Amino acid sequence: MSTTESVSPRRHAYTDPSASQLPEPSYAERVRTLVSLGTIATLSTISLKRPGYPFGSLMPYAIDESGRPIFLISNMAMHTQNLQADPRASLFVSQAGDGDPLGTARATLVGDVLPVPEEENSAARERYLARYENSRSWVDFKDFGFYRLQPLDIYYVGGFGVMGWVTADDYLIAKIDPLAEAAPRILSHMNTDHVPAMILLARAHSNLEASEATMTAVDRLGFHLRLKTADGMKGTRINFLRAVQNADETRKVLVEMVQTAEPKLS
């Protein structure tokens, strides 16, 4: 972890005094996961018409093996003309969700957007079309081409009070969380069917008494809860007893945690 990402590592609250404390995913891992899940972002280029001013465009994107965003854009588009004059740009990616948008994760990737080198064009095409099959209708038009953002720096906001810079080097080597694809289903299931269990876990692991609980995020090491308490809304993170790799392992460890918590609080 680079010193620009975090001065002191953030860690979970303990789930068991005798258990080792698992670190949270790094900001670099969180951004890499967030960008891998996104499909539409806001690309800001430097305006030709108004020099020095940012010009925002809605932008579909895919990613390459290093997590660099790939765009299929037309020379006739204003953002492409802006990039051809000045490649400096930023891409704003945000987490999808129905809750408070200020409480969701988002990241701004700052860097240079340049044409994909000819020898890498075939791989970029394959990755992009795998995500946007309908793009086959115009991918071979002469005015379209593939561009790629090379990150220079990244700013991450993980919700209220969670924010920090991530270096490009850390981002490019970070791994996508193994629960990335399964997370929405896990959150929906827990928030629909297991609110009492989450209230129990909040009491057992965070010493918080809640009348309502919502799981807002989950990763291989733990999960976040938003809780309605007598003192207002509060958030907490609880780490799993062990790291998980898929939805089935997540279910098993949550059942184990609830079963362990019940007799302690009875």
Side-chain angles (χ1 to χ4, degrees), residues 173-231:
I173 63 173
K175 303 296 184 184
I176 298 172
D177 191 88
L179 291 189
E181 297 291 342
R185 297 192 303 275
I186 294 171
L187 297 181
S188 176
H189 176 65
M190 293 299 296
N191 293 331
T192 301
D193 299 331
H194 297 293
V195 172
M198 293 188 291
I199 292 174
L200 175 69
L201 292 175
R203 187 185 312 135
H205 296 287
S206 299
N207 294 317
L208 290 172
E209 293 288 342
S211 57
E212 298 178 13
T214 302
M215 186 178 289
T216 58
V218 63
D219 55 67
R220 72 186 189 283
L221 300 178
F223 55 95
H224 287 271
L225 296 178
R226 185 172 65 244
L227 306 166
K228 184 178 182 180
T229 74
D231 298 322

